[in-house]
Amino acid sequence: MDRPKTSYAWNDGTALAYQVVGTSGPDLLFVPGSVSHLEVLWEEPRVQRFLTRFAGFCRLVIMDPRGLGLSDRLTEIPTLEERVDDLLSVLDAAESERATLFGNADTGPPCIAAAVSHPDRVGGLILCGTYAKASWSDDYPWGWTDEGFADFRRSVRDDWGTTAGMERVAPSMAGDQAFLQWSATLMRLGASPRAVLLLGEMTKAVDVRSLLLQIAVPTLVMHRIGDRVNEVDHGRYLADRIPGARWVELPGDDFLLWAGDTDVIVDEVEEFLTGRRGGGEPTRVVATVMFTDVVGSTERARALGDRAWTDLLERHNARVRAELRRFGGREIDTAGDGFLALFDGPARAIRCGLAIRESLGGLGLDVRAGVHTGEVERPVGEKPRGIAVHVGARVMSLAGAGEVLVSSTTHDLVAGSGLDFEDRGEHVLKGVESARRVYAVVG
């Protein structure tokens, strides 16, 4: 899908960036915790899928909290009251009369306070990986100690905007260098180190335990059982003290919301809001399939030797993934030197193929790509399948070194996009009943 428009709400002179995704279903205000940047979020396929699934069953409003992303930067520690008013200002700007609030990490407490102080505007509450109190005390032994906060401040000063410490916040993603680099970029663009330190001081002082028994809206509390930053007892404490709260222990060790199994989070939210699961993601969707492949890879590997070829292949994979993130592609599979990716828009898929060709040319690699648009079957947790996937693979097989070929279906869909093509005639594709016309992208 196209990146949503970013708009601004205002709270007493402070600008708050927000987006609206989806047009039907109950309103859900999602307030990302830790660090956020509305434009950068959509560059990571995992996050794009996460947010798009929400928009399949609700009207999703996403905001950058004050001090983060595209919202105004911090000059002082924000108060809980200011953060509650920020939420209401975004709801007003998004023309939402009543919404469910989704708080994560440090955004959970203001969502709790808003639910108590404004039950006329808050229809439900979802708390994921968050807490009622951040700091340790005798009667709350799960919070961060003074030493823990001191370590946090040191890490911000020394390592903010790098991949250092990712093994703690996102252990399941340790081998995904593309995701880790994206996360580091999100940190650098999402918040300045000074803003993070101010938010850390705010977090250290937060305590909304006295509000929990006053929550009178339906509440879903979720927490990953092995969370290495905010341990699961934070979530259990919330669920035990919020009247009627539904408690769900999620699998995994990740603190970072986007890491690990995100489908289970969306499933729980969908059931909480609509009473059903799986309605937000159809098993059959229209998508654009792109296959890529390195031409002459066997000969190149033989000439370079195993070690040099492995190094080159790793650089190839990194560059392909960088272009997929840039154009909103979702990596589905990789085998050897080839990739399969899905796109919501055919023009983006074609431009991604051209960008991959140019990027890999700098490595001395000749790549070919095939693009086709059609109905794809997408069972949850499985690779996509269907005739469209086969057609995309067969179209790629017709391409020569440096070529991006598209099917006639894709060609017709991008009319007026500014892309130029050369007609390569009709071809009988193996495993496909009728001949298909194929076009080469010129440029």
Side-chain angles (χ1 to χ4, degrees), residues 72-284:
D72 280 345
R73 291 300 195 228
L74 293 179
T75 57
E76 56 188 12
I77 299 172
T79 67
L80 183 63
E81 291 75 14
E82 287 173 331
R83 301 186 85 199
V84 169
D85 288 343
D86 289 347
L87 304 182
L88 298 178
S89 297
V90 170
L91 291 181
D92 288 341
E95 300 182 344
S96 175
E97 295 182 1
R98 190 171 170 84
T100 294
L101 306 184
F102 186 128
N104 162 245
D106 59 284
T107 68
C111 288
I112 290 170
V116 171
S117 58
H118 298 277
D120 57 321
R121 302 296 303 278
V122 179
L125 189 58
I126 298 170
L127 304 171
C128 185
T130 185
Y131 42 76
K133 184 175 185 289
S135 57
W136 182 94
S137 61
D138 288 338
D139 59 348
Y140 196 84
W142 312 290
W144 284 26
T145 63
D146 289 342
E147 292 78 10
F149 278 107
D151 288 342
F152 167 75
R153 289 190 288 270
R154 280 193 294 270
S155 69
V156 171
R157 292 190 176 98
D158 296 342
D159 299 320
W160 185 254
T162 73
T163 59
M166 285 292 177
E167 69 281 354
R168 184 184 181 205
V169 300
S172 71
M173 307 303 292
D176 191 333
Q177 289 301 313
F179 180 87
L180 298 181
Q181 291 298 330
W182 169 84
S183 297
T185 300
L186 176 65
M187 293 165 66
R188 293 191 299 273
L189 298 183
S192 68
R194 180 168 183 263
V196 177
L197 292 173
L198 288 171
L199 290 172
E201 292 305 308
M202 174 204 70
T203 299
K204 185 177 181 180
V206 74
D207 185 352
V208 295
R209 289 179 294 173
S210 64
L211 300 180
L212 300 183
L213 288 174
Q214 302 177 53
I215 296 174
V217 299
T219 303
L220 169 65
V221 182
M222 299 181 286
H223 211 109
R224 288 183 173 130
I225 195 168
D227 189 329
R228 298 184 182 182
V229 176
N230 296 321
E231 61 182 88
V232 69
D233 283 322
H234 285 289
R236 290 171 179 155
Y237 184 95
L238 290 169
D240 286 344
R241 286 158 180 80
I242 297 175
R246 170 173 164 75
W247 167 240
V248 177
E249 290 189 2
L250 300 171
D253 301 332
D254 298 292
F255 158 77
L256 199 61
L257 188 65
W258 329 110
D261 184 357
T262 59
D263 280 330
V264 67
I265 296 174
V266 181
D267 288 342
E268 293 293 344
V269 172
E270 182 177 11
E271 183 174 13
F272 179 71
L273 291 179
T274 70
R276 68 180 189 277
R277 290 176 180 244
E281 185 179 31
T283 57
R284 297 188 68 83

Side-chain angles (χ1 to χ4, degrees), residues 298-311:
T298 302
E299 294 78 6
R300 187 70 181 277
R302 185 181 299 117
L304 290 174
D306 290 344
R307 177 172 296 180
W309 172 247
T310 297
D311 291 343

